[in-house]
Amino acid sequence: VCTDTIRQSVNVVDLSLDVSDDVTLCEPEDVSLLALASNNSALYNWSFFEDGTNPILEGVNATELSYFFDSPQVVYVSASANGCTVVE
């Protein structure tokens, strides 16, 4: 009878993202949206697309998006750290 043992480390990353509340506008105006990830080194990506393409703003310090909204929009923000990504 032959036996073998394999040991492998598993790293579980707890990544969460808190974002500002939804905003309703009656006329075009500048709006600031905030996001804060549970990981201080998270990379932020703000986009009109859920998959994060064509980012409006991105970077490690991109926790706030200030944007002039003149039409209805949905804005997505993602935070990525240690191989994990969360999208709001």
Side-chain angles (χ1 to χ4, degrees):
V1 173
C2 294
T3 61
D4 194 4
T5 302
I6 297 175
R7 295 178 193 257
Q8 185 167 356
S9 296
V10 176
N11 185 20
V12 178
V13 177
D14 181 23
L15 181 62
S16 61
L17 184 61
D18 290 324
V19 297
S20 0
D21 293 332
D22 290 346
V23 176
T24 301
L25 304 175
C26 296
E27 57 188 56
E29 73 180 85
D30 286 310
V31 174
S32 290
L33 303 173
L34 302 171
L36 185 60
S38 59
N39 184 309
N40 292 339
S41 63
L43 175 67
Y44 295 88
N45 178 312
W46 296 84
S47 176
F48 293 122
F49 304 97
E50 190 171 6
D51 66 1
T53 55
N54 299 322
I56 307 164
L57 177 67
E58 64 182 339
V60 174
N61 296 318
T63 59
E64 181 177 2
L65 172 69
S66 294
Y67 193 84
F68 182 78
F69 290 91
D70 60 0
S71 64
Q73 295 284 346
V74 174
V75 177
Y76 298 93
V77 60
S78 66
S80 301
N82 301 322
C84 296
T85 300
V86 61
V87 179
E88 287 285 337

